[in-house]
Amino acid sequence: MYNQDKEFLLKAIEKAKESVAHGGFPAGAIVVKNGQIIGSGISIGGFLNDPTAHGEMASIRDACKNLNTSNKQVLNSSSHL
């Protein structure tokens, strides 16, 4: 495993811990493009009464917001869960 991948996985674990701290289950995610984190999310569906509020979906939404796009090209990035 490359050092940068390990750093990204550790960041996803931090997001999972954040999810638990906010009353969610231990799942967090980040989206990486060209070696940069462009989105992150935590799972707080129970808190929001939103079954789609998983860390993976939240990280994609965040990446689209940060890139100011709804283009599906964001999905060509790497996700670390």
Side-chain angles (χ1 to χ4, degrees), residues 32-53:
V32 176
K33 185 171 186 149
N34 299 327
Q36 299 292 317
I37 296 173
I38 60 170
S40 64
I42 61 174
S43 294
I44 55 171
F47 178 75
L48 297 176
N49 296 317
D50 179 357
T52 68

Side-chain angles (χ1 to χ4, degrees), residues 11 15 18 29-32 36-42 52 54-71 74-75 77:
K11 182 65 176 175
K15 297 304 289 182
E18 183 182 337
I30 62 169
V31 178
V32 176
Q36 299 292 317
I37 296 173
I38 60 170
S40 64
I42 61 174
T52 68
H54 287 257
E56 304 92 327
M57 297 300 292
S59 67
I60 292 168
R61 287 183 187 115
D62 189 48
C64 287
K65 182 180 103 180
N66 291 335
L67 296 177
N68 196 31
T69 185
S70 62
N71 191 312
V74 169
L75 300 177
S77 304

